[in-house]
Amino acid sequence: MITSSQERRYADRLEEFAVRHPFLVDLATVLALLACATFGASLTLPNADPPDQDKTAVALMGVSCLVLLKHRAYPRIAVTVTGACTVAAVSMGYLLTPLLLAPIMAALYWLATLTERKTTRVYGITTLVGVIGAAVVADSMDHLSLLLRTIGPFFWLMLPLAAGNMTRLRRAYLQAVQARAEHAERTREEEARLRVTEERVRIARELHDVVAHHMALANAQAGTAAHLALTNPEQTQKILTDLTGTTSSALRELKAALGLLRQDDDAPGAPPLEPSPGLARLPELVSACRSAGLAVTVTTEGEPQPLSPGVDLTAYRIVQEALTNVSKHADAESAHVRLEYTGSRLLLTVTNEGPSKPEPAPGRGFGVMGMRERAQSIGGELCAGPRPQGGFEVTTALPLQPAAHLTEGPTP
């Protein structure tokens, strides 16, 4: 007993053979149609004499089947020639049977599967009218009523048109499904590449903020300690102690950033990552800057509101980078940080009044660009530039709770 899986396997093999050898399949089909048409031409009604033109009928059926070998390239011509041969055979007195109609039925089926609906409709209606008209006036069907001479050809010729149309729709549906699957696959690959790129940019920005800030702060502390080493040993000792804390903090944050890359959430016993810094650590940042010789004041306006982790980290990193830029690119001894809570946004401003140092070479500075990317990643805005009265100012507006699709992934 043949199972359904075996039937599917045989069907798949047959379909694969048809794709590889279309001419052999067409030739076998045409020979079968020729046999059917030839046998149908020999059929007559009881007590009726067959027409005398047997060779003519065979020739007509041979021509109608031979042209079907080119149905893939010329389906319209195949229908036209096959229809003309069928009408001629019926007009000569041959009995109109499904066997005699086999070639034109096959031609109509292939026309419906290979051409658009309008072409199928035009050629199908023309063929129906021609064959039914021949059946109405044919002498071989005088003993039948007009209804039977009409409904029989109509039914047998509409059947391949309907089957061919369903096959064409099914093929179009399968092609659409395949196209959607390919598009979805390409979209997944593009989205994966985009996510990888975004993650690389985010990690590069995080490492830049960590390394640039702490290295600039450590450099300033070391320079200040060297300057005061002989004149104020106690202050020098305090600065060196703060320098140790700065380097320890740099190593700790760098370890957290790199640990995120190696973190395996599914691994048992994986150590938890250090919480992301936020505005709660602003006093530590101010103290570290003060030990490097930069006096920082912080003012808060409005009622402080809870911030999402992404906004909290972004605000802290922007203040950190802005103060780092003050130490690196401005001859200033003080800076001012202002936090203003207005409605659903946090307005953050970092200013200094000292003259700016020469700008870094093009392509070497990523501080302002990184701050702007951070602000935009959560739906905020950032402006940075010289102040008219001197100094430099960084102003940013951040939403207290960014939209879900703008929220960054976990950051160290």
Side-chain angles (χ1 to χ4, degrees):
M1 182 177 179
I2 299 178
T3 62
S4 58
S5 60
Q6 290 176 332
E7 291 178 357
R8 288 195 298 270
R9 185 164 60 251
Y10 293 148
D12 293 340
R13 290 179 180 177
L14 182 60
E15 184 177 357
E16 183 179 356
F17 179 82
V19 172
R20 291 183 177 181
H21 308 283
F23 178 77
L24 294 180
V25 175
D26 292 345
L27 181 61
T29 304
V30 167
L31 292 177
L33 293 173
L34 180 60
C36 292
T38 304
F39 180 70
S42 65
L43 297 178
T44 59
L45 293 174
N47 301 323
D49 296 329
D52 297 332
Q53 303 90 341
D54 289 342
K55 294 183 179 179
T56 304
V58 173
L60 287 174
M61 294 301 100
V63 172
S64 65
C65 292
L66 185 64
V67 75
L68 291 179
L69 290 174
K70 294 294 184 180
H71 77 274
R72 298 180 187 272
Y74 309 101
R76 300 171 182 82
I77 296 177
V79 169
T80 302
V81 174
T82 306
C85 292
T86 303
V87 170
V90 174
S91 302
M92 292 170 58
Y94 289 93
L95 183 64
L96 187 62
T97 64
L99 293 175
L100 188 69
L101 291 175
I104 185 61
M105 290 173 65
L108 288 174
Y109 172 79
W110 285 324
L111 177 75
T113 59
L114 297 175
T115 61
E116 65 277 3
R117 184 177 299 180
K118 182 178 180 181
T119 301
T120 302
R121 187 182 300 114
V122 172
Y123 280 81
I125 293 175
T126 303
T127 303
L128 279 172
V129 171
V131 175
I132 293 176
V136 170
V137 301
D139 296 337
S140 61
M141 304 183 70
D142 287 341
H143 58 284
L144 298 177
S145 64
L146 180 62
L147 179 62
L148 292 178
R149 282 184 285 176
T150 303
I151 196 172
F154 178 82
F155 173 77
W156 289 111
L157 294 181
M158 283 298 297
L159 186 62
L161 288 174
N165 187 57
M166 292 179 60
T167 301
R168 180 177 56 82
L169 292 177
R170 181 175 178 274
R171 289 177 180 175
Y173 171 75
L174 294 178
Q175 291 176 356
V177 171
Q178 183 178 4
R180 286 197 298 268
E182 293 175 354
H183 176 72
E185 183 66 24
R186 290 194 301 268
T187 302
R188 282 195 296 269
E189 294 177 357
E190 293 174 359
E191 183 178 356
R193 287 196 296 268
L194 180 60
R195 287 184 177 275
V196 170
T197 302
E198 290 178 348
E199 188 67 10
R200 289 176 58 189
V201 172
R202 186 184 66 82
I203 293 172
R205 186 170 59 237
E206 194 70 24
L207 292 176
H208 169 270
D209 289 349
V210 172
V211 175
H213 166 71
H214 288 94
M215 291 302 100
L217 191 60
N219 181 70
Q221 289 173 331
T224 304
H227 179 71
L228 299 176
L230 298 178
T231 59
N232 195 339
E234 294 182 0
Q235 183 67 19
T236 301
Q237 183 65 33
K238 182 179 181 303
I239 293 176
L240 291 177
T241 303
D242 293 339
L243 177 59
T244 303
T246 300
T247 55
S248 299
S249 177
L251 291 174
R252 188 167 55 252
E253 292 196 29
L254 188 60
K255 181 180 179 181
L258 296 179
L260 186 64
L261 300 177
R262 301 177 180 178
Q263 177 84 0
D264 186 0
D265 296 335
D266 298 330
L273 295 177
E274 181 180 344
S276 301
L279 292 180
R281 292 179 55 180
L282 200 56
E284 298 179 18
L285 179 63
V286 171
S287 177
C289 291
R290 186 176 295 111
S291 67
L294 179 66
V296 180
T297 57
V298 180
T299 59
T300 302
E301 299 180 9
E303 183 67 23
Q305 301 292 330
L307 304 177
S308 69
V311 175
D312 201 14
L313 172 64
T314 299
Y316 177 82
R317 291 301 189 199
I318 289 177
V319 174
Q320 182 186 59
E321 180 62 26
L323 294 178
T324 301
N325 288 342
V326 172
S327 301
K328 292 169 59 179
H329 305 302
D331 291 328
E333 297 181 354
S334 63
H336 182 67
V337 178
R338 182 169 65 92
L339 306 176
E340 181 180 356
Y341 293 88
T342 59
S344 60
R345 301 180 76 81
L346 168 64
L347 301 181
L348 195 154
T349 306
V350 181
T351 58
N352 69 275
E353 299 179 355
S356 300
K357 296 179 182 179
E359 293 293 331
R364 299 289 300 277
F366 298 98
V368 175
M369 181 178 65
M371 288 189 292
R372 183 172 289 110
E373 289 176 352
R374 281 189 177 277
Q376 293 175 350
S377 67
I378 59 172
E381 300 174 353
L382 184 138
C383 296
R387 303 171 62 202
Q389 62 272 33
F392 199 85
E393 181 176 81
V394 175
T395 303
T396 182
L398 304 176
L400 300 182
Q401 300 292 333
H405 68 282
L406 293 174
T407 304
E408 286 189 334
T411 54

